[in-house]
Every structure is written in C-alpha cells, then in structure tokens.
Amino acid sequence: MASIQGKKMNPTRFHKSQLKFYAILIPMAVVMGLPIIYIFSQALKPLDELFIYPPKFFAQKPSLDNFKKLIESMMGSEVPIYRYFFNSILSTLLTVICTIFITAFAGYALSKKDFKLKNVIFEINTAALMFVGAAVKIPKYLVIYYSGLIDNFWVHIIPGLAMPVGLFLVKQFMDQIPDALIEAARIDGAKDFQIFMKVIMPLSKSSLATVVILTFQAAWNAIEASELYLNADNMKTFAYYMTTLTTTGNDVVGIGQAAAATLIMFIPNLVIFIFMQKNVMSTMAHSGIK
C-alpha cells in the first residue's frame, strides 16, 4: 500500500510508464492531423500537381500561384471584397453573441426551473438533433418567407440562433451545477437574473465556449442565406463569394482557386478551436454525467 501511495498517478515529468500512452496517442494524433495537413498541401500545389496521377499527398513544388489567381479574381469583382468580408464578420459575431445568451437562458430554464411541458420541450430539442439540413430546407424557406426575411440582412442571423446541439450540451452541463449554490445566492438576496449572470454563466463558461465554436463554424461557413434568400450582392457573405470564384469560369483553373479558398475559410475555424479546445473537452466530459 505504501508503494502505491508513493507513486503519482499523473507525474509532472516524463516517466517511462507514460510510453505506453504515447505509443497509442501519437499515431492517433498523426492520423487525425492528416486532413489538416492535406488542406494546406492542396492549397500550395501548382496546377499540374493537382491533376497528377497517382496523386501526391504533399506538394512537391510548393507555390502561391493559387492564392495569386484567387486575389486576381477578387479584384475583378463588382462589389468590393471588403464588403463581403464585413458581412461575414458582422453576421458571424451577431449570431455567436445572440446564440450564447439564447442558449444559456434556455439551458438554465430547462435545467433549473420547473414548469409545464419542460420535459416535452427538451425531448423536442433532442429529436431535432436527428434532422439534417436538407430535410428541413423547404419548411425553413417557408418560415423565412412568411417572416419577411427575404432580402433582409437578418436572414444571416435569425435562422442560425436555433442550435439544438448547443442547447443540449449547455442544459446537460448546467445539470452538474449544485442547486445548493443557487439556493445560497437566493438566500443572500440575489434575484433570478443576478443568479444567472453571476453564478450560472461563470460556471458554464466551458459549455458556452463549445457553443461559440459550433456557432462560429456554422455561421462563418454558411452560404445558404446568400444563395437562397438574398438577391442583392452587397448583402452576401465572404463564404458565398469564395464559392462563386471557384465554380465559375474555367473549372480546371478553378480547382486551384478552390483549394486556396478552402484554406482561407478553414484557418479561422482552426484558430478558434485551438484557443478553446480545452473548454470543448471539459464540456464533452461533463455533459453526460449526472
């Protein structure tokens, strides 16, 4: 027993006992990192390497020609490129901020409040996780049409506020917060909104960070609103504009531009995930534990 107690379960320095974990985790990390490396490699391949057979994973002669051609195509746009970029940044930020508060309020109500149909509402939200985007395109279009959002900038934001997976994770995470904390705050004279802002929100930052990542990825890469609901080019997003550059004109040349555009769109998603990945792991570890 003394020998067991003398050993650390998680040594702060390298120990030979850790080798067995590295032997499993390093190959897994390499395999999972290959798609990211491939995106960078494709963007740096000259046109002849993109069509070489058999295909090569790494660029043999890395080049920035794809980015140069992409920039040249951007310069020929009728609407300034910064307008599309501004639309994407604005719509993404508003979507993320609004989604955080809506998801947090809804998660708090479903987790800590008692009211009729509470379980039914949560079951409906859980059932919504099963539906793919293509299955609800027609009902979604009808709702947007009768809501008067056609040719309205808010069509980028309002449909993206309903995120069933985000609500599910936040609600499950808030279930882990002891009710005794809420009761103690209430005894101290805190109102419901104060409890929410000063107790629930700080303790739920891990789950909310996960919602930020999911919402950012969905909003930043979204082209549906620009493609289906908007006619004015000056209200469309950077993601949609990038797809138009890579799908018009010469399809062969467009492959290189598509690879460069994919990398440009991917980098913000990668950066935000790197900075918030610890919170994501924490959320996934606690959301299913009672």
Side-chain angles (χ1 to χ4, degrees):
M1 178 66 69
S3 61
I4 293 176
Q5 290 177 345
K7 294 181 180 180
K8 291 183 178 180
M9 294 298 292
N10 295 300
T12 55
R13 296 182 180 180
F14 175 77
H15 189 270
K16 62 181 180 180
S17 63
Q18 296 174 332
L19 289 174
K20 57 182 177 290
F21 300 112
Y22 285 115
I24 298 173
L25 295 176
I26 290 177
M28 288 179 61
V30 171
V31 171
M32 286 188 247
L34 287 177
I36 298 175
I37 298 172
Y38 182 76
I39 292 174
F40 281 87
S41 177
Q42 283 292 98
L44 296 174
K45 285 181 180 179
L47 196 59
D48 56 341
E49 288 188 29
L50 288 170
F51 291 94
I52 194 173
Y53 186 85
K56 303 292 184 182
F57 189 87
F58 295 102
Q60 304 299 306
K61 297 178 181 179
S63 170
L64 296 176
D65 287 345
N66 294 331
F67 294 95
K68 292 177 182 177
K69 292 174 182 176
L70 187 62
I71 292 172
E72 290 173 0
S73 299
M74 290 178 180
M75 296 299 103
S77 173
E78 294 181 1
V79 178
I81 185 63
Y82 63 79
R83 178 66 190 187
Y84 294 107
F85 197 65
F86 173 79
N87 290 342
S88 281
I89 292 177
L90 180 61
S91 61
T92 300
L93 285 177
L94 288 175
T95 303
V96 169
I97 293 171
C98 293
T99 301
I100 289 173
F101 283 98
I102 290 174
T103 304
F105 277 120
Y108 175 56
L110 290 172
S111 177
K112 301 300 181 184
K113 295 294 182 180
D114 291 321
F115 54 92
K116 291 182 179 180
L117 302 179
K118 168 183 171 179
N119 293 330
V120 174
I121 293 173
F122 185 66
E123 288 173 4
I124 292 173
N125 180 81
T126 305
L129 296 173
M130 298 186 296
F131 293 93
V132 296
V136 296
K137 269 194 173 182
I138 294 177
K140 185 176 180 180
Y141 181 86
L142 292 175
V143 171
I144 290 173
Y145 176 79
Y146 287 110
S147 299
L149 291 175
I150 299 295
D151 284 329
N152 190 317
F153 185 81
W154 285 96
V155 77
H156 289 299
I157 300 162
I158 293 177
L161 300 182
M163 181 171 285
V165 65
L167 177 56
F168 177 83
L169 291 174
V170 170
K171 187 267 181 188
Q172 296 294 91
F173 193 91
M174 287 182 178
D175 284 345
Q176 317 308 315
I177 300 175
D179 293 336
L181 285 176
I182 299 174
E183 291 301 323
R186 191 168 284 120
I187 291 172
D188 288 339
K191 302 297 183 182
D192 211 32
F193 185 74
Q194 291 175 317
I195 294 173
F196 174 78
M197 294 300 297
K198 296 183 178 181
V199 178
I200 300 298
M201 290 289 278
L203 293 176
S204 304
K205 63 181 181 180
S206 294
S207 61
L208 295 176
T210 304
V211 173
V212 168
I213 294 175
L214 296 175
T215 306
F216 179 88
Q217 291 178 339
W220 178 255
N221 298 311
I223 64 171
E224 184 182 54
S226 299
E227 193 172 38
L228 300 178
Y229 313 129
L230 296 172
N231 294 311
D233 287 338
N234 61 358
M235 286 195 292
K236 296 183 178 182
T237 60
F238 187 68
Y240 174 79
Y241 175 68
M242 296 299 267
T243 62
T244 62
L245 286 177
T246 58
T247 56
T248 57
N250 190 329
D251 291 337
V252 174
V253 177
I255 294 297
Q257 296 183 26
T262 300
L263 178 59
I264 292 173
M265 295 300 299
F266 171 72
I267 287 177
N269 295 289
L270 179 63
V271 171
I272 194 171
F273 181 80
I274 289 174
F275 280 103
M276 295 187 173
Q277 56 90 17
K278 289 184 180 180
N279 294 306
V280 175
M281 297 302 107
S282 177
T283 302
M284 297 306 175
H286 291 89
S287 290
I289 299 176
K290 295 292 183 184

